[in-house]
Amino acid sequence: MEKALERSEKDNVQYGVAVNCGLGFPVQNDAQVDSFLQAMKPYPQIYKGMQAEGREWVDMFSREAIDKFDYVFTDAMTFTDEKGRRNRIWIEEETWIDDEQDFMDYLVQTTVNIIKNEPIDIYVNPTFLPEQMADRYDKFWTKDRMERVIDAAIASNVAIEINNRFKIPSQDFICLAKEKGAKFTVGTNNAGIDYPGPDYAVEMIKACGLDENDFFVPGQ
């Protein structure tokens, strides 16, 4: 935490630190939520985030426990498909793609459902694609698909992360979301001190003309 504070001051970026909450992750019940938040009390200058994992998390924690965090976020990287197969799309061996376009349609609909129905503040790792599809990002993330996700986020008052690690979403997505009135955050999905910095976010802020009014702030 001390190193995180040093880096936060160096980068002039207020940090949030999140704990993984969900099936098979370090925090799986309300009592463990309280333990994490108690451990974070010496660091009031850092936001406390809930990284909600999988789709089961909504049934594992009370709303009271969820509301104790400064913000809650999740992604669409874990889901069960129409055939009952659990996908974790950052792992090739756990990603089931029978037809790429059908897979993409299902991923978009899953994303929309998550944004609309799960009690989150931020949708992270946005527009992430499995490795076997990622090199054709623009083919799969058509304007129609982008708009479906953006419109869902705006309707549900959910911010969209600009992710520095994966350099997503694309500039086209961010500019379109800005035009429609979406809110943004900056994140990295890093699990250690090897933080690459906010270079991609800075590039997108300049390219899409974002200002402070375009960003989500916890508690506001």
Side-chain angles (χ1 to χ4, degrees):
M1 291 301 301
E2 285 69 24
K3 290 182 179 179
L5 289 170
E6 290 174 8
R7 186 64 185 266
S8 174
E9 184 175 351
K10 177 183 176 182
D11 290 343
N12 196 29
V13 173
Q14 187 171 4
Y15 276 13
V17 172
V19 65
N20 301 77
C21 302
L23 186 64
F25 286 92
V27 172
Q28 300 191 49
N29 55 53
D30 288 4
Q32 291 174 320
V33 166
D34 290 338
S35 295
F36 168 75
L37 295 175
Q38 182 66 31
M40 291 293 291
K41 276 192 173 181
Y43 310 102
Q45 62 272 65
I46 291 183
Y47 289 123
K48 288 76 177 174
M50 180 183 199
Q51 180 166 346
E53 301 283 0
R55 311 278 59 84
E56 305 90 354
W57 76 275
V58 293
D59 299 318
M60 297 176 65
F61 304 95
S62 68
R63 190 55 193 260
E64 181 183 13
I66 295 169
D67 288 343
K68 291 178 180 179
F69 290 94
D70 294 317
Y71 61 94
V72 180
F73 63 91
T74 195
D75 56 40
M77 293 169 68
T78 302
F79 60 88
T80 301
D81 66 20
E82 292 174 310
K83 295 183 178 180
R85 300 173 298 195
R86 184 177 174 84
N87 281 255
R88 295 197 295 172
I89 64 173
W90 70 98
I91 303 172
E92 184 173 357
E93 296 77 14
E94 297 185 33
T95 304
W96 307 93
I97 304 174
D98 300 324
D99 177 275
E100 289 183 337
Q101 292 297 336
D102 289 345
F103 176 90
M104 193 65 203
D105 287 336
Y106 193 87
L107 177 61
V108 170
Q109 185 57 53
T110 297
T111 301
V112 170
N113 290 340
I114 289 169
I115 292 172
K116 286 185 174 181
N117 299 314
E118 297 186 11
I120 61 172
D121 301 297
I122 308 167
Y123 163 52
V124 301
N125 298 318
T127 70
F128 182 90
L129 291 175
E131 184 176 356
Q132 53 268 54
M133 296 170 61
D135 61 343
R136 290 163 290 150
Y137 182 101
D138 291 335
K139 173 182 177 180
F140 296 115
W141 277 108
T142 62
K143 184 177 181 182
D144 176 69
R145 287 170 173 156
M146 290 192 290
E147 286 186 323
R148 289 187 62 199
V149 172
I150 293 166
D151 291 345
I154 293 171
S156 298
N157 196 29
V158 170
I160 298 169
E161 179 192 61
I162 301 174
N163 186 285
N164 292 290
R165 176 181 176 184
F166 298 123
K167 298 184 178 180
I168 53 176
S170 66
Q171 180 175 326
D172 287 345
F173 185 106
I174 295 169
C175 288
L176 180 60
K178 154 74 174 177
E179 180 183 326
K180 284 176 166 284
K183 293 287 187 179
F184 300 91
T185 61
V186 176
T188 308
N189 194 32
N190 63 304
I193 62 173
D194 186 22
Y195 171 53
D199 294 350
Y200 181 70
V202 171
E203 179 185 347
M204 291 300 102
I205 287 167
K206 293 177 179 178
C208 298
L210 304 182
D211 61 36
E212 62 182 323
N213 296 317
D214 295 311
F215 284 86
F216 163 80
V217 178
Q220 296 185 8

